[in-house]
């Protein structure tokens, strides 16, 4: 089975290699985790953006474990921060792959760019930009961002603006970037690539404790996301397990849905 329904999204049940191969054909990649799933119960635009996605892969060890409990096992957890480096290594010899990094604090994208290019001994990352705070409310800044990306010649756009901003940005703008074939929403990965924020040690990731490491590193920002989301998520999973879960948006009249102009998923 290549796609699993889970609450109100479908998760692609690929291995990372299968996904990397498929991305030769382009597409948008989102990486749902517990926070996304909670948000998808309330945020109609985010829900629609997910409906328009080409690939949704499991970012979260918790989601991976829950999929087993529900009897719909996800084969592999593929977090955005693993997928992105796997992607540039996989396509390192493909000259048509040119990456632009959008997001992270001032200077961090440039640092990530030079580290990746140095590692690969090739200028695979052709540009980066850290938009100023509140840029999404400024249409002129939005246009300038699109111009920068187009001018860079990028064919792959990695967006690290945090969820749901990054997914909404991609959905609104993908049709305005005709040269870009692959769009990835990668959260804090640009920070990791720049060496700005350390990733958890391998043994913690293997035990599914990446979330604990991230809370310890950034407690003020992340405690709410991880700890206070746990209970409502467990309730949702329980309702799904018992067969009571109802998608809040599924049967909604279409006039209530925003017209985002994205591609409908087959
Ligand atoms: N960020 C940004 N602009 C914004 C909001 C966030 O560039 O307006 C960046 C922030 O600097 C960080 C990333 O988005 O690099 C936040 O990612 P988060 O930790 O929320 O993502 P996760 O990996 O947890 O999905």
């Amino acid at each position: 089975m290549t796609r699993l329904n889970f609450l109100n999204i479908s998760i692609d049940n690929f291995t990372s290699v299968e996904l990397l191969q498929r991305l030769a054909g382009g597409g948008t990649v989102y990486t749902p985790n517990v926070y996304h799933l909670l948000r998808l119960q309330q945020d109609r635009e985010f829900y629609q953006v997910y409906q328009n996605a080409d690939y949704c892969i499991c970012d979260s060890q918790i989601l991976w474990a829950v999929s087993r409990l529900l009897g719909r096992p996800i084969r592999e957890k593929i977090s955005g921060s693993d997928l992105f480096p796997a992607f540039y290594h996989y396509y390192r010899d493909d000259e048509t792959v040119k990456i632009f990094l959008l997001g992270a604090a001032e200077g961090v994208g440039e640092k990530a760019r030079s580290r990746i290019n140095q590692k690969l001994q090739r200028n695979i990352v052709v540009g980066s930009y850290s938009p100023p705070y509140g840029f999404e409310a400024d249409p002129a800044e939005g246009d300038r961002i699109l111009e920068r990306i187009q001018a860079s010649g990028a064919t792959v756009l990695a967006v690290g603006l945090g969820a749901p901003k990054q997914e909404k940005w991609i959905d609104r703008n993908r049709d305005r970037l005709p040269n870009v074939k692959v769009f990835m929403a990668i959260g804090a990965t640009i920070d990791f690539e720049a060496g700005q924020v350390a990733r958890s040690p391998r043994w913690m990731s293997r035990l599914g404790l990446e979330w604990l490491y991230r809370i310890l590193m950034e407690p003020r920002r992340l405690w709410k996301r991880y700890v206070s989301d746990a209970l409502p998520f467990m309730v949702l999973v329980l309702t799904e397990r018992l067969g009571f879960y109802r998608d809040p948006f599924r049967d909604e009249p279409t006039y209530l849905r925003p017209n985002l102009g994205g591609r409908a998923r087959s």
Side-chain angles (χ1 to χ4, degrees), residues 28 52 146 150 169-180 183 260-263:
T28 50
N52 297 342
L146 295 174
Q150 283 294 95
W169 191 93
I170 290 172
D171 199 73
R172 287 189 197 127
N173 293 292
R174 60 188 289 190
D175 291 339
R176 297 178 67 193
L177 290 167
N179 297 337
V180 176
F183 296 82
L260 298 167
R263 253 171 276 181

Side-chain angles (χ1 to χ4, degrees), residues 118-130:
Q118 183 142 34
K119 200 162 29 177
L120 263 55
Q121 292 294 297
R122 178 199 150 189
N123 286 340
I124 193 167
V125 182
V126 292
S128 75
Y129 183 58
S130 309

Side-chain angles (χ1 to χ4, degrees), residues 228-245:
S228 75
D229 286 352
L231 186 63
F233 184 67
M234 282 192 294
V235 172
L236 268 179
V237 170
L238 196 64
T239 56
E240 168 106 339
R241 180 77 185 85
L242 298 174
F244 297 134
Y245 174 72

Side-chain angles (χ1 to χ4, degrees), residues 33 103-105 135 160-163 165-166 186-188 191 214 221 225:
N33 58 25
F135 75 95
L161 297 169
K165 199 186 285 186
Q166 56 197 12
I186 57 169
D191 295 323
R214 288 197 68 191
R221 194 171 75 86
R225 187 193 301 183

Side-chain angles (χ1 to χ4, degrees), residues 19-239:
L19 178 64
L20 290 169
Q21 286 166 348
R22 280 170 185 260
L23 286 177
T28 50
V29 187
Y30 302 149
T31 65
N33 58 25
V34 169
Y35 173 73
H36 291 211
L37 278 160
L38 287 174
R39 184 103 199 187
L40 282 161
Q41 309 311 310
Q42 301 149 10
D43 182 337
R44 190 187 298 127
E45 182 185 352
F46 195 35
Y47 172 81
Q48 189 58 49
V49 165
Y50 255 100
Q51 298 295 305
N52 297 342
D54 296 308
Y55 300 108
C56 295
I57 51 168
C58 169
D59 183 73
S60 144
Q61 192 74 28
I62 295 172
L63 203 54
W64 178 87
V66 163
S67 77
R68 262 135 232 275
L69 278 180
L70 293 175
R72 274 164 264 160
I74 294 170
R75 281 152 79 190
E76 211 182 296
K77 174 204 137 191
I78 314 172
S79 63
S81 43
D82 288 327
L83 176 68
F84 181 62
F87 179 87
Y88 63 65
H89 280 292
Y90 190 85
Y91 286 102
R92 66 186 301 160
D93 297 323
D94 183 337
E95 293 294 329
T96 65
V97 170
K98 295 175 188 162
I99 304 170
F100 192 98
L101 306 174
L102 178 66
E106 179 85 50
V108 175
E110 270 309 293
K111 211 164 156 192
R113 171 187 176 170
S114 60
R115 279 173 60 129
I116 297 167
N117 288 345
Q118 183 142 34
K119 200 162 29 177
L120 263 55
Q121 292 294 297
R122 178 199 150 189
N123 286 340
I124 193 167
V125 182
V126 292
S128 75
Y129 183 58
S130 309
Y133 184 76
F135 75 95
E136 60 279 20
D138 177 357
E141 173 66 11
D143 290 344
R144 280 195 294 272
I145 292 174
L146 295 174
E147 278 159 24
R148 259 174 208 267
I149 297 168
Q150 283 294 95
S152 74
T155 55
V156 174
L157 181 62
V159 186
L161 297 169
K165 199 186 285 186
Q166 56 197 12
E167 291 82 5
K168 289 180 179 178
W169 191 93
I170 290 172
D171 199 73
R172 287 189 197 127
N173 293 292
R174 60 188 289 190
D175 291 339
R176 297 178 67 193
L177 290 167
N179 297 337
V180 176
K181 306 294 174 227
V182 175
F183 296 82
M184 292 185 213
I186 57 169
T189 306
I190 300 173
D191 295 323
F192 296 140
E193 291 291 329
Q196 207 71 9
V197 177
R199 287 200 68 185
S200 64
R202 266 184 199 284
W203 68 267
M204 282 186 96
S205 303
R206 269 204 297 270
L207 291 176
L209 296 175
E210 195 152 355
W211 57 275
L212 179 62
Y213 183 81
R214 288 197 68 191
I215 292 179
L216 294 172
M217 291 294 109
E218 297 182 82
R220 287 224 269 180
R221 194 171 75 86
L222 294 178
W223 80 267
K224 181 178 177 297
R225 187 193 301 183
Y226 285 102
V227 178
S228 75
D229 286 352
L231 186 63
F233 184 67
M234 282 192 294
V235 172
L236 268 179
V237 170
L238 196 64
T239 56

